Amino acid sequence: MAYLKFVPNKYLTSNDVKALLNYCISPDRNPYYTSSIAHNSYDEIEYYTFNFCYPHFYHHKQGKTICYHYVLSFDLNNEISRLEKLSLDSLFCYLGTMPEVKGLNLFFSVHRTKYGLPKHIHILVSSTNPDSGKSAFINFECLKYQIGEILADFNIALAGYSYCTANGYINRGNYSPENLYLENFL
């Protein structure tokens, strides 16, 4: 089962965004990452930071958060077989097409175990549409619904949205995490 969490930190300056990106792709976390921002620079951190910050500052949004930060964590104790089959590129592709984040700059970074299994994914979403300059409002429940639907395609339950039955099927419904993997829970 996966858990989706919003990180309530405010990223108000380019240095805040740069520090977050540095953390997300730190080599000691065994990262795998991609972005909706086409990369063509030798310094990735500077390039991604600029692309997150420029629309924000260009449209005079100083004093407001530059990006939203979400973490999608996985249950390594109960879902190893599912996570071994998980295609990160496919997952990133689906996450990038969610209606809730359409038109916004996105950055995804997976922190993996030493065996390559995903522990969690950092999802960074710009708070300003780079084309229109409009501030983005992301409804967490809508985002959770969209991510829950995507994870169901990979046979992974999302806490607060879906659960896994004893026979391995994903059903929609909000059940407490303690009940999600009980053999007799249907």
Side-chain angles (χ1 to χ4, degrees):
M1 167 188 48
Y3 297 90
L4 181 64
K5 173 179 105 168
F6 172 70
V7 179
N9 295 4
K10 293 199 181 286
Y11 303 98
L12 302 175
T13 68
S14 58
N15 285 337
D16 296 340
V17 174
K18 187 185 293 187
L20 176 59
L21 288 165
N22 273 318
Y23 172 78
C24 287
I25 68 170
S26 173
D28 62 333
R29 307 216 182 275
N30 194 13
Y32 180 75
Y33 56 94
T34 190
S35 177
S36 67
I37 301 167
H39 179 261
N40 63 3
S41 172
Y42 65 93
D43 188 342
E44 292 177 303
I45 295 293
E46 291 293 332
Y47 188 76
Y48 289 133
T49 301
F50 174 81
N51 278 280
F52 268 96
C53 295
Y54 180 76
H56 184 83
F57 295 132
Y58 177 79
H59 294 289
H60 309 288
K61 308 263 188 221
Q62 284 84 356
K64 297 182 179 178
T65 193
I66 296 169
C67 67
Y68 302 116
H69 182 191
Y70 302 91
V71 178
L72 180 62
S73 302
F74 298 103
D75 181 357
L76 292 174
N77 295 324
N78 293 300
E79 299 214 332
I80 290 177
S81 63
R82 290 179 172 125
L83 293 174
E84 287 173 336
K85 298 174 190 170
L86 181 64
S87 164
L88 293 174
D89 289 326
S90 294
L91 179 61
F92 289 159
C93 182
Y94 285 121
L95 290 172
T97 61
M98 293 183 297
E100 198 67 19
V101 297
K102 185 177 182 177
L104 300 173
N105 288 334
L106 303 170
F107 183 86
F108 306 108
S109 175
V110 177
H111 289 171
R112 301 175 295 179
T113 66
K114 65 181 177 180
Y115 304 108
L117 292 176
K119 293 190 281 187
H120 57 266
I121 300 174
H122 292 273
I123 303 169
L124 309 182
V125 182
S126 64
S127 66
T128 304
N129 184 303
D131 296 327
S132 68
K134 291 184 179 179
S135 294
F137 172 76
I138 298 173
N139 182 311
F140 185 75
E141 290 304 312
C142 289
L143 187 68
K144 185 176 7 176
Y145 173 84
Q146 292 166 16
I147 290 174
E149 287 295 308
I150 291 167
L151 291 177
D153 290 343
F154 293 97
N155 203 26
I156 297 173
L158 178 64
Y161 177 73
S162 57
Y163 63 94
C164 184
T165 63
N167 57 5
Y169 293 105
I170 301 297
N171 285 341
R172 276 47 169 190
N174 186 1
Y175 290 92
S176 67
E178 303 84 51
N179 295 326
L180 294 179
Y181 292 98
L182 295 177
E183 290 302 316
N184 59 1
F185 184 72
L186 293 175

